[in-house]
Amino acid sequence: MKKFIICLSALSIIACAEERLPAIEPDVITEKTPNDTDDPAIWVNPDDASKSIVFGTDKDTNGGIYAFDLDGKIIKEKCILNVQRPNNVDLRYGFQLNDSVKTDIIAFTEREKQQIRVFSVPDMTPLDGGGIPVFTDETDRAKRLPMGISLYKSPETQKMYAIVGRKAGPKENYLYQYELKADSLGVVSGSLVRKFGDFSGKKEIEAIAVDDEMGFVYYSDEMDGVKKYYAEPSKGNERVAFFGNDNKFSEDIEGIAIANTGNGEGYIIVSDQQMGYFNVFSRKDNSFIKAINLSTTETDGCDVVTTPLNSTFKTGLFAAMNDDASFYFYDFSKLGLE
């Protein structure tokens, strides 16, 4: 009987392995960071796309934002080091620094200092005077520890916002939205413009992504589903949609990447962390399209661009964190979505 049970168990393992989707191997695996990778953000160089940079967080007390070229090599002079537990990172183009100067920026959370940071790209100059405090009205320290962040540049007003999540929060108003402004000296500060976003209470909210063109913010309520709100503060705080909650995910719902393929079309790509898959939803109506296996494990963050970059990434780049302290890069066509 014991041998029979062992045989059945072995057959079950084989069957499960056979049922998995075929793994798609990355085109590039980056050099490893010292601690724990978490979330990437892709900057497309407007002058030479082949010199684009992928920024990725290395999450620990002695963490940093690491910069990688398209071959996955660390660009030491573009890294931001000695950051106290950076978690998520995001990027936007054309932030108005003063009347005559615009710059591209990255923003990331620095959890242990209870703040967010803002740097210019690609010169990597700090713009925030040392940091912008967040969740300052909370008395419970656990509710002041920022995790997720996404930037939003309003197509209506050209204002720049940071939408920030945290390690723990209430059932309502889990997210805070800050308008980012530079003063006459070019120092960026953040003013709170609204609180929004419901929370199931099941685990936490980390991954946040904003579709600037369509005007929506998406976030992962990790063991509940993907929630969608308006990104424009003037459009109110009512939830617009809720999806991915019908057994599409095995457990944690994590990183979100928005692939814009033009004319309102595209994809919302969301990490199914414990399954090792990515679930793909329609950008247009958020309906489920398919799951894909990109051979990563325990993926937290991901990002995507659909701009041709070089001979390796001819149709764009999808970047995803892997749990061995690296990031995996794929030509966008490998996802099989076109």
Side-chain angles (χ1 to χ4, degrees):
M1 178 61 74
K2 189 173 183 180
K3 288 182 179 179
F4 179 68
I5 292 171
I6 292 171
C7 288
L8 280 178
S9 298
L11 286 171
S12 176
I13 292 169
I14 292 169
C16 288
E18 290 176 345
E19 289 171 3
R20 285 188 64 79
L21 295 171
I24 300 168
E25 296 300 321
D27 293 292
V28 170
I29 297 176
T30 69
E31 293 181 328
K32 294 185 179 182
T33 64
N35 301 297
D36 180 20
T37 50
D38 192 278
D39 187 48
I42 305 165
W43 177 71
V44 178
N45 188 319
D47 300 317
D48 184 349
S50 69
K51 295 180 180 178
S52 298
I53 300 172
V54 180
F55 295 98
T57 58
D58 183 49
K59 187 173 60 177
D60 211 325
T61 294
N62 63 328
I65 306 299
Y66 282 78
F68 302 91
D69 64 22
L70 296 183
D71 293 321
K73 304 299 183 184
I74 293 173
I75 311 170
K76 291 182 180 179
E77 66 272 19
K78 301 295 182 184
C79 297
I80 305 166
L81 303 181
N82 301 311
V83 183
Q84 293 184 23
R85 201 170 184 85
N87 212 112
N88 283 27
V89 61
D90 201 16
L91 182 147
R92 283 298 184 278
Y93 303 88
F95 174 70
Q96 195 76 49
L97 200 56
N98 57 45
D99 290 343
S100 59
V101 176
K102 290 184 178 181
T103 183
D104 302 339
I105 60 171
I106 60 168
F108 55 91
T109 53
E110 187 172 19
R111 195 195 304 179
E112 291 178 8
K113 286 193 173 182
Q114 302 163 39
Q115 64 181 10
I116 62 172
R117 301 299 315 273
V118 180
F119 281 68
S120 61
V121 176
D123 55 328
M124 314 314 296
T125 300
L127 302 175
D128 54 19
I132 301 170
V134 290
F135 306 114
T136 56
D137 59 343
E138 290 282 8
T139 56
D140 182 351
R141 186 179 183 277
K143 294 180 180 179
R144 294 185 61 181
L145 302 175
M147 290 182 68
I149 188 170
S150 185
L151 296 176
Y152 167 54
K153 185 178 181 181
S154 170
E156 298 180 11
T157 66
Q158 299 303 301
K159 291 180 179 180
M160 190 76 76
Y161 298 95
I163 298 173
V164 189
R166 40 190 162 163
K167 182 66 177 174
K171 291 292 186 71
E172 300 291 338
N173 297 329
Y174 200 100
L175 306 180
Y176 282 20
Q177 184 165 350
Y178 298 87
E179 182 181 351
L180 301 179
K181 289 182 179 179
D183 64 17
S184 60
L185 299 176
V187 178
V188 178
S189 60
S191 57
L192 181 64
V193 295
R194 70 164 172 163
K195 307 174 185 180
F196 72 101
D198 68 275
F199 172 47
S200 67
K202 294 177 181 178
K203 192 170 183 182
E204 62 193 22
I205 293 168
E206 180 177 3
I208 309 168
V210 178
D211 186 332
D212 288 16
E213 181 184 351
M214 303 292 282
F216 295 118
V217 53
Y218 298 87
Y219 64 86
S220 295
D221 192 336
E222 286 194 10
M223 296 184 72
D224 198 36
V226 180
K227 297 177 179 180
K228 177 181 180 180
Y229 284 77
Y230 288 112
E232 199 67 43
S234 63
K235 292 190 175 180
N237 297 338
E238 293 299 316
R239 191 170 71 193
V240 177
F242 179 41
F243 58 96
N245 56 319
D246 48 355
N247 299 316
K248 291 291 188 295
F249 293 88
S250 60
E251 194 172 332
D252 284 0
I253 305 161
E254 283 282 354
I256 304 174
I258 300 172
N260 181 350
T261 58
N263 300 315
E265 302 289 341
Y267 309 96
I268 311 296
I269 306 167
V270 186
S271 168
D272 186 356
Q273 189 175 51
Q274 281 73 38
M275 190 68 177
Y277 288 177
F278 292 85
N279 286 331
V280 182
F281 301 86
S282 164
R283 179 176 175 238
K284 194 170 186 178
D285 62 13
N286 303 143
S287 59
F288 178 74
I289 297 174
K290 69 173 186 177
I292 48 179
N293 178 1
L294 295 181
S295 68
T296 59
T297 53
E298 294 289 329
T299 295
D300 274 307
C302 53
D303 196 18
V304 64
V305 295
T306 55
T307 304
L309 301 179
N310 63 7
S311 59
T312 303
F313 304 108
K314 296 178 181 178
T315 64
L317 168 62
F318 182 80
M321 163 262 178
N322 190 54
D323 73 346
D324 66 348
S326 71
F327 293 93
Y328 283 14
F329 296 172
Y330 309 79
D331 181 64
F332 182 64
S333 66
K334 277 195 164 185
L335 278 59
L337 298 175
E338 296 295 330

